[in-house]
Amino acid sequence: MPRRNRSPQRQRRLPAAAPMSPPPSPPPPPPAPDDLHYRTGIMGWFARIFAPMRDARDPYDQTLVLPALITIIIMNLNHVRGFPDWTVSAAIIGTALMSGAWLGAALGIAGGFRAMLRSISVGAIETAIAFLSYGKLERPAIVAYQLIFLNFFFFWIIHHIVGALRDIALTTERG
């Protein structure tokens, strides 16, 4: 076996690597709302929660797609796997409360008309899927009305409660 020469002069030289730039620094956090009236206490805590949600604007997927999807999954489990009937009602009411609170926190009371339309849309999607998954129902008009009304009622009530709390917590000193 021939012996290799391992001297540094004989080794093949690689081209010099391009100088690496340092990784980009993370973006700075958004500025804290410094003009808020409430900065301390429980209202200051609410203001710190609601300010990023206000800046994120309309949570479309979380308030239209997600509640309908959760309710559809529960309906399917009820129909196929034999989940109790109360789980469907709990899913409808729970997702309506969650979505209404989320929309109220993001848009405040001013988003009331959007909350109303969103709740009716979610109820209509749930009604269509209920008809598809359960087949023929005895009184389809009453089932459709109940699903849409349940969504509307709970969505609307919690939207106004959270929206009013958000509007008060995000009161500014500018007037």
Side-chain angles (χ1 to χ4, degrees):
M1 223 190 212
R3 187 170 163 204
R4 292 187 183 165
N5 186 358
R6 298 196 185 267
S7 67
Q9 290 83 13
R10 294 277 211 191
Q11 289 181 351
R12 189 173 72 176
R13 300 210 178 227
L14 297 174
M20 291 183 59
S21 61
S25 62
D34 57 350
D35 61 339
L36 290 176
H37 179 71
Y38 298 104
R39 294 183 190 187
T40 60
I42 191 81
M43 292 306 284
W45 181 71
F46 280 134
R48 287 187 297 278
I49 290 173
F50 291 141
M53 294 180 90
R54 173 192 60 190
D55 297 338
R57 299 303 307 149
D58 187 7
Y60 184 77
D61 289 338
Q62 295 89 347
T63 58
L64 181 70
V65 177
L66 194 59
L69 185 64
I70 290 170
T71 305
I72 289 165
I73 290 170
I74 296 296
M75 282 180 184
N76 191 21
L77 289 172
N78 171 263
H79 183 66
V80 175
R81 300 279 185 191
F83 270 37
D85 291 338
W86 65 265
T87 58
V88 176
S89 299
I92 292 169
I93 293 169
T95 57
L97 289 172
M98 175 200 65
S99 300
W102 202 326
L103 199 60
L107 301 178
I109 290 291
F113 186 68
R114 192 176 300 180
M116 180 181 67
L117 293 177
R118 190 85 36 99
S119 65
I120 292 170
S121 299
V122 170
I125 292 169
E126 291 171 356
T127 300
I129 298 301
F131 289 156
L132 289 175
S133 73
Y134 290 115
K136 186 172 175 151
L137 298 171
E138 273 186 48
R139 298 186 279 178
I142 293 177
V143 171
Y145 169 76
Q146 288 173 343
L147 284 172
I148 291 172
F149 182 76
L150 272 175
N151 271 292
F152 175 75
F153 180 74
F154 288 105
F155 208 105
W156 185 256
I157 293 295
I158 199 69
H159 170 266
H160 280 314
I161 293 169
V162 173
L165 185 61
R166 176 230 187 231
D167 288 344
I168 293 168
L170 295 181
T171 301
T172 64
E173 291 294 329
R174 285 187 252 169

